[in-house]
Structures are given as C-alpha cells and as structure tokens.
Short mmCIF file of all heavy atoms in Angstrom, two decimals:
data_model
loop_
_atom_site.label_atom_id
_atom_site.label_comp_id
_atom_site.label_asym_id
_atom_site.label_seq_id
_atom_site.Cartn_x
_atom_site.Cartn_y
_atom_site.Cartn_z
N LEU A 1 -67.79 42.19 -26.71
CA LEU A 1 -67.97 42.75 -25.38
C LEU A 1 -69.12 42.02 -24.72
O LEU A 1 -70.28 42.44 -24.79
CB LEU A 1 -68.27 44.25 -25.46
CG LEU A 1 -67.25 45.11 -26.23
CD1 LEU A 1 -67.71 46.55 -26.30
CD2 LEU A 1 -65.88 45.01 -25.58
N GLY A 2 -68.82 40.90 -24.10
CA GLY A 2 -69.85 40.10 -23.44
C GLY A 2 -70.34 40.81 -22.19
O GLY A 2 -69.55 41.20 -21.35
N GLN A 3 -71.65 40.99 -22.09
CA GLN A 3 -72.17 41.77 -20.98
C GLN A 3 -72.31 40.98 -19.70
O GLN A 3 -71.98 41.48 -18.63
CB GLN A 3 -73.50 42.39 -21.37
CG GLN A 3 -73.32 43.45 -22.43
CD GLN A 3 -74.54 44.32 -22.60
OE1 GLN A 3 -75.60 44.04 -22.07
NE2 GLN A 3 -74.41 45.36 -23.37
N SER A 4 -72.81 39.76 -19.76
CA SER A 4 -73.06 39.06 -18.50
C SER A 4 -72.94 37.55 -18.61
O SER A 4 -73.32 36.85 -17.68
CB SER A 4 -74.44 39.42 -17.97
OG SER A 4 -75.43 39.04 -18.91
N ALA A 5 -72.43 37.05 -19.70
CA ALA A 5 -72.38 35.60 -19.88
C ALA A 5 -71.02 35.18 -20.47
O ALA A 5 -70.27 36.01 -20.98
CB ALA A 5 -73.51 35.14 -20.80
N ALA A 6 -70.74 33.90 -20.39
CA ALA A 6 -69.47 33.35 -20.82
C ALA A 6 -69.29 33.40 -22.34
O ALA A 6 -70.26 33.41 -23.09
CB ALA A 6 -69.35 31.91 -20.34
N ILE A 7 -68.02 33.43 -22.74
CA ILE A 7 -67.64 33.38 -24.15
C ILE A 7 -66.77 32.15 -24.35
O ILE A 7 -65.79 31.96 -23.62
CB ILE A 7 -66.87 34.65 -24.57
CG1 ILE A 7 -67.75 35.89 -24.39
CG2 ILE A 7 -66.38 34.52 -26.01
CD1 ILE A 7 -67.02 37.20 -24.60
N THR A 8 -67.12 31.32 -25.33
CA THR A 8 -66.34 30.13 -25.66
C THR A 8 -65.84 30.27 -27.09
O THR A 8 -66.63 30.47 -28.01
CB THR A 8 -67.19 28.86 -25.53
OG1 THR A 8 -67.68 28.78 -24.19
CG2 THR A 8 -66.37 27.62 -25.86
N VAL A 9 -64.53 30.17 -27.25
CA VAL A 9 -63.92 30.25 -28.58
C VAL A 9 -63.52 28.83 -28.95
O VAL A 9 -62.64 28.24 -28.32
CB VAL A 9 -62.72 31.21 -28.58
CG1 VAL A 9 -62.13 31.33 -29.98
CG2 VAL A 9 -63.14 32.60 -28.07
N GLY A 10 -64.18 28.27 -29.96
CA GLY A 10 -64.01 26.88 -30.34
C GLY A 10 -62.62 26.52 -30.81
O GLY A 10 -61.80 27.39 -31.14
N ASP A 11 -62.36 25.23 -30.88
CA ASP A 11 -61.07 24.69 -31.26
C ASP A 11 -60.60 25.25 -32.59
O ASP A 11 -61.30 25.19 -33.60
CB ASP A 11 -61.16 23.16 -31.32
CG ASP A 11 -59.80 22.51 -31.36
OD1 ASP A 11 -58.92 22.94 -30.59
OD2 ASP A 11 -59.62 21.58 -32.16
N ASN A 12 -59.40 25.83 -32.58
CA ASN A 12 -58.75 26.39 -33.77
C ASN A 12 -59.50 27.56 -34.39
O ASN A 12 -59.21 27.94 -35.53
CB ASN A 12 -58.49 25.31 -34.82
CG ASN A 12 -57.43 24.35 -34.37
OD1 ASN A 12 -56.40 24.75 -33.83
ND2 ASN A 12 -57.68 23.07 -34.54
N ALA A 13 -60.45 28.16 -33.70
CA ALA A 13 -61.08 29.37 -34.21
C ALA A 13 -60.06 30.50 -34.13
O ALA A 13 -59.21 30.54 -33.24
CB ALA A 13 -62.32 29.73 -33.40
N THR A 14 -60.13 31.42 -35.07
CA THR A 14 -59.18 32.52 -35.14
C THR A 14 -59.92 33.83 -34.96
O THR A 14 -60.91 34.10 -35.64
CB THR A 14 -58.47 32.53 -36.52
OG1 THR A 14 -57.83 31.27 -36.71
CG2 THR A 14 -57.43 33.62 -36.59
N LEU A 15 -59.45 34.66 -34.04
CA LEU A 15 -60.01 35.98 -33.82
C LEU A 15 -58.97 36.97 -34.30
O LEU A 15 -57.90 37.11 -33.70
CB LEU A 15 -60.33 36.20 -32.34
CG LEU A 15 -60.95 37.53 -31.98
CD1 LEU A 15 -62.36 37.64 -32.59
CD2 LEU A 15 -61.03 37.70 -30.48
N LEU A 16 -59.26 37.64 -35.41
CA LEU A 16 -58.29 38.55 -36.02
C LEU A 16 -58.58 39.99 -35.66
O LEU A 16 -59.69 40.47 -35.85
CB LEU A 16 -58.30 38.39 -37.55
CG LEU A 16 -57.93 37.00 -38.05
CD1 LEU A 16 -58.13 36.91 -39.54
CD2 LEU A 16 -56.50 36.67 -37.68
N ASN A 17 -57.54 40.66 -35.15
CA ASN A 17 -57.64 42.08 -34.80
C ASN A 17 -58.81 42.38 -33.89
O ASN A 17 -59.58 43.30 -34.14
CB ASN A 17 -57.71 42.93 -36.07
CG ASN A 17 -56.45 42.82 -36.88
OD1 ASN A 17 -55.36 42.74 -36.33
ND2 ASN A 17 -56.59 42.81 -38.18
N GLY A 18 -58.94 41.61 -32.84
CA GLY A 18 -60.04 41.85 -31.92
C GLY A 18 -59.69 41.50 -30.49
O GLY A 18 -58.58 41.07 -30.18
N ARG A 19 -60.67 41.71 -29.64
CA ARG A 19 -60.53 41.39 -28.23
C ARG A 19 -61.76 40.61 -27.79
O ARG A 19 -62.82 40.74 -28.37
CB ARG A 19 -60.43 42.67 -27.42
CG ARG A 19 -59.13 43.42 -27.68
CD ARG A 19 -59.11 44.73 -26.92
NE ARG A 19 -57.83 45.38 -27.01
CZ ARG A 19 -57.43 46.12 -28.04
NH1 ARG A 19 -58.23 46.29 -29.07
NH2 ARG A 19 -56.25 46.67 -28.05
N VAL A 20 -61.58 39.83 -26.73
CA VAL A 20 -62.69 39.07 -26.15
C VAL A 20 -62.78 39.50 -24.69
O VAL A 20 -61.93 39.17 -23.89
CB VAL A 20 -62.45 37.55 -26.26
CG1 VAL A 20 -63.61 36.78 -25.66
CG2 VAL A 20 -62.22 37.14 -27.70
N LEU A 21 -63.81 40.26 -24.37
CA LEU A 21 -64.00 40.78 -23.02
C LEU A 21 -65.35 40.33 -22.49
O LEU A 21 -66.34 40.39 -23.20
CB LEU A 21 -63.94 42.31 -23.04
CG LEU A 21 -62.68 42.92 -23.68
CD1 LEU A 21 -62.86 44.41 -23.88
CD2 LEU A 21 -61.47 42.63 -22.84
N SER A 22 -65.36 39.88 -21.24
CA SER A 22 -66.62 39.38 -20.68
C SER A 22 -66.66 39.64 -19.18
O SER A 22 -65.62 39.63 -18.51
CB SER A 22 -66.75 37.89 -20.94
OG SER A 22 -67.91 37.37 -20.32
N ALA A 23 -67.86 39.85 -18.67
CA ALA A 23 -68.05 39.95 -17.22
C ALA A 23 -68.05 38.56 -16.60
O ALA A 23 -68.08 38.42 -15.39
CB ALA A 23 -69.37 40.67 -16.93
N ALA A 24 -68.03 37.52 -17.43
CA ALA A 24 -67.99 36.13 -16.97
C ALA A 24 -66.73 35.48 -17.55
O ALA A 24 -65.80 36.16 -17.93
CB ALA A 24 -69.26 35.40 -17.42
N ALA A 25 -66.73 34.17 -17.66
CA ALA A 25 -65.55 33.42 -18.13
C ALA A 25 -65.35 33.54 -19.64
O ALA A 25 -66.30 33.68 -20.40
CB ALA A 25 -65.72 31.95 -17.77
N VAL A 26 -64.08 33.46 -20.05
CA VAL A 26 -63.71 33.34 -21.45
C VAL A 26 -62.91 32.05 -21.57
O VAL A 26 -61.90 31.88 -20.89
CB VAL A 26 -62.86 34.53 -21.94
CG1 VAL A 26 -62.38 34.30 -23.36
CG2 VAL A 26 -63.64 35.84 -21.84
N THR A 27 -63.38 31.13 -22.42
CA THR A 27 -62.72 29.84 -22.59
C THR A 27 -62.12 29.77 -23.99
O THR A 27 -62.83 29.95 -24.98
CB THR A 27 -63.72 28.68 -22.40
OG1 THR A 27 -64.31 28.81 -21.10
CG2 THR A 27 -63.04 27.34 -22.52
N LEU A 28 -60.82 29.48 -24.06
CA LEU A 28 -60.11 29.38 -25.33
C LEU A 28 -59.65 27.94 -25.53
O LEU A 28 -59.33 27.25 -24.56
CB LEU A 28 -58.90 30.30 -25.35
CG LEU A 28 -59.17 31.77 -25.07
CD1 LEU A 28 -57.85 32.53 -24.96
CD2 LEU A 28 -60.03 32.37 -26.16
N SER A 29 -59.57 27.51 -26.80
CA SER A 29 -59.13 26.15 -27.11
C SER A 29 -58.30 26.16 -28.39
O SER A 29 -58.85 26.19 -29.48
CB SER A 29 -60.34 25.24 -27.27
OG SER A 29 -59.95 23.94 -27.62
N ASN A 30 -56.98 26.17 -28.24
CA ASN A 30 -56.08 26.16 -29.41
C ASN A 30 -56.39 27.30 -30.35
O ASN A 30 -56.59 27.09 -31.54
CB ASN A 30 -56.17 24.83 -30.15
CG ASN A 30 -55.77 23.67 -29.31
OD1 ASN A 30 -54.77 23.75 -28.60
ND2 ASN A 30 -56.54 22.60 -29.34
N ASN A 31 -56.42 28.53 -29.86
CA ASN A 31 -56.86 29.67 -30.66
C ASN A 31 -55.72 30.64 -30.94
O ASN A 31 -54.79 30.76 -30.18
CB ASN A 31 -57.98 30.43 -29.94
CG ASN A 31 -59.10 29.52 -29.55
OD1 ASN A 31 -59.32 29.29 -28.37
ND2 ASN A 31 -59.80 28.97 -30.52
#
C-alpha cells in the first residue's frame, strides 16, 4: 500500500497473492 510514491516491480519479479496499490505510479516489467 504505497502512500505517496511510485512502486517499481523489477524484471521477472513475482508478486504472489498480493496487490500493488499506490497514490503514484506503478511500473511493471515482465511480472
């Protein structure tokens, strides 16, 4: 739960059973 800044999910990173929420940008790369 990003409060005020961007979230970057690196190349081939895996997020299992979760969510990515942000008041700013969320950047995904082959995830």
Side-chain angles (χ1 to χ4, degrees):
L1 305 177
Q3 292 194 350
S4 60
I7 298 172
T8 302
V9 182
D11 195 44
N12 291 316
T14 303
L15 181 67
L16 299 174
N17 296 323
R19 292 177 173 81
V20 180
L21 306 169
S22 176
V26 174
T27 303
L28 304 173
S29 177
N30 299 316
N31 307 112

